Amino acid sequence: MSGEENIEEAAAAAVKRSLVASLRRERAGYVTRGLDERVAGVDAELKRLGAAKELAEEREPAEPLETAVESKPRRTAGRGGKTGG
């Protein structure tokens, strides 16, 4: 193997690691929102890339996580407040 081939293999491996990491983040978002069909699509791509073995080790939450929070009450001008004077 020449030095150039080693560099090409290292670059290809780095691109694959980056792609797998991106797909895992995408998958986590779909799991959180309960989009099972999209999760399956990402799982298929991870399997094609050879990263499916690690997927079996990951556990999905039973239910999507709720991320919404209640709004703070709005302040209103009370009586006797400032007047345009």
Side-chain angles (χ1 to χ4, degrees):
M1 233 185 236
S2 72
E4 190 173 305
E5 289 174 345
N6 287 338
I7 292 171
E8 289 177 6
E9 285 182 16
V15 168
K16 183 177 177 180
R17 282 192 304 271
S18 177
L19 179 58
V20 168
S22 295
L23 287 168
R24 288 182 181 284
R25 286 189 300 270
E26 180 179 357
R27 182 183 188 279
Y30 292 149
V31 168
T32 300
R33 291 180 285 166
L35 301 173
D36 297 333
E37 289 180 18
R38 299 260 177 128
V39 171
V42 173
D43 285 348
E45 186 62 15
L46 286 167
K47 183 177 179 181
R48 187 185 71 79
L49 293 170
K53 179 174 38 169
E54 297 145 6
L55 284 177
E57 299 169 0
E58 294 179 11
R59 299 196 183 259
E60 295 180 13
E63 297 178 16
L65 301 176
E66 178 64 46
T67 58
V69 295
E70 288 186 33
S71 300
K72 292 182 181 179
R74 293 186 176 183
R75 288 186 166 182
T76 59
R79 291 187 171 178
K82 293 184 179 179
T83 58

